[in-house]
Amino acid sequence: MAKPLKVDEVWITRITDLLNDMEFGSLQIVVHEGQIVQMERTERKRFENTSSGAAKSNEVSRMASPHLRKSSSR
């Protein structure tokens, strides 16, 4: 049978601190024998798609396309 999870005020503070400044992402909490032993934070940064960024992205795609066609025709 699983042991009951022990979460004291110290862990609540640690979890809160990791979540407070996160806008997009996840927090994975690893529990071993009823105690938190590890936390892994994965954060995503999202950026608005601006017209200058879109133009640059298209330019990169055009530059890469001939190389992709060469390598796939071998």
Side-chain angles (χ1 to χ4, degrees), residues 18-71:
L18 287 171
L19 292 174
N20 268 339
D21 62 342
M22 186 186 311
E23 190 172 0
F24 299 100
S26 62
L27 178 63
Q28 182 178 7
I29 300 171
V30 179
V31 177
H32 182 73
E33 294 184 0
Q35 293 185 352
I36 297 173
V37 294
Q38 180 176 331
M39 292 191 293
E40 297 178 22
R41 176 180 158 160
T42 303
E43 187 170 2
R44 306 280 188 239
K45 295 291 184 182
R46 297 187 181 180
F47 302 97
E48 296 269 336
N49 188 6
T50 62
S51 59
S52 62
K56 189 171 186 173
S57 175
N58 288 337
E59 182 180 325
V60 170
S61 295
R62 281 193 306 257
M63 290 172 55
S65 295
H67 299 294
L68 294 175
R69 278 188 238 126
K70 276 185 182 179
S71 64

